[in-house]
Every structure is written in C-alpha cells, then in structure tokens.
Amino acid sequence: MELLVASAIGILTAAGLYLVLRLRTFPVIMGMSLLTYAVNVFLFASGRLTVGAPPILQKGVETYTDPLPQALVLTAIVISFGMTAVIVMIALGAYLGSDDDHVDDIDEDDTSGTSVQGDRA
C-alpha cells in the first residue's frame, strides 16, 4: 500500500510541475491544484497508513490511527480552496485586462532586448 501511495504522490507532483510550467493560466491553476493534492496525500500518509483502525486511543485498542495528520490535511484542504479561489480571480482579472491568458506577458514598450519571448504556439 505504501508503494501505491508513494507512486500516486510522485505522479501528482510530476503532473503538477508539468502543468505549472505550461505558461497559461488554466494549466497553471490545475498544476497548483495537483501539487496541493500531492502535499495533502503526503501529509495524510505521514501518519502511517492503517486500515480499519480507530482514530482515537481507547482502552483495549492496540492499533490506532494518528489523528494529527488528518486534521492537518483538513486544514490544508480549506487553505488550498481559498488559495485556488484567489488565483482564479487574479487569472480572470489578468485575462479580462489583457485578452490573453499567457503567464509571461511582455510589455509592447519593452525595447531593452533583455526579455525572451515565450512559446506562443
């Protein structure tokens, strides 16, 4: 089970990084969401993966699940939801202001020649 969870974390991280580097707003938002999911699964897995164990230590129970990573993941989910809403609003404002969804927009007045034109394909 640990191999499956570790593979899922790796795949989510790789897909998230790939999408963040796409330089368009929607893939960047999706990539940040995938990175957030990868971190959440990592935090959840850090509390040991046990199946069917109670989250609270009681008398007579030898195996239990640590509730702290679960609480951290719930907090991280709420924070990531708020962060995603803010990023979507910033991206929407940038798109409506410039009619373009590229992340690396370059000013037309920039004549210094130091900037590199992004992939516009």
Side-chain angles (χ1 to χ4, degrees):
M1 184 166 194
E2 286 83 9
L3 179 65
L4 180 66
V5 171
S7 299
I9 292 170
I11 291 170
L12 284 173
T13 303
L17 287 176
Y18 175 76
L19 288 175
V20 165
L21 296 175
R22 296 290 296 176
L23 299 180
R24 291 197 175 253
T25 54
F26 184 70
V28 167
I29 292 169
M30 293 300 295
M32 297 219 21
S33 295
L34 288 179
L35 286 173
T36 302
Y37 293 144
V39 169
N40 289 342
V41 172
F42 177 74
L43 283 175
F44 187 75
S46 68
R48 294 188 188 160
L49 298 173
T50 56
V51 177
I56 299 173
L57 183 60
Q58 298 173 345
K59 290 183 180 179
V61 176
E62 304 245 344
T63 305
Y64 65 95
T65 304
D66 188 10
L68 182 61
Q70 297 174 8
L72 286 174
V73 167
L74 285 175
T75 304
I77 289 170
V78 171
I79 291 171
S80 68
F81 180 73
M83 183 186 73
T84 303
V86 169
I87 289 174
V88 166
M89 292 309 295
I90 290 172
L92 184 63
Y95 175 72
L96 293 176
S98 66
D99 291 332
D100 192 8
D101 66 341
H102 284 269
V103 179
D104 62 341
D105 276 343
I106 300 170
D107 291 338
E108 298 291 329
D109 299 333
D110 187 16
T111 58
S112 63
T114 57
S115 61
V116 178
Q117 194 76 327
D119 183 17
R120 302 270 174 166

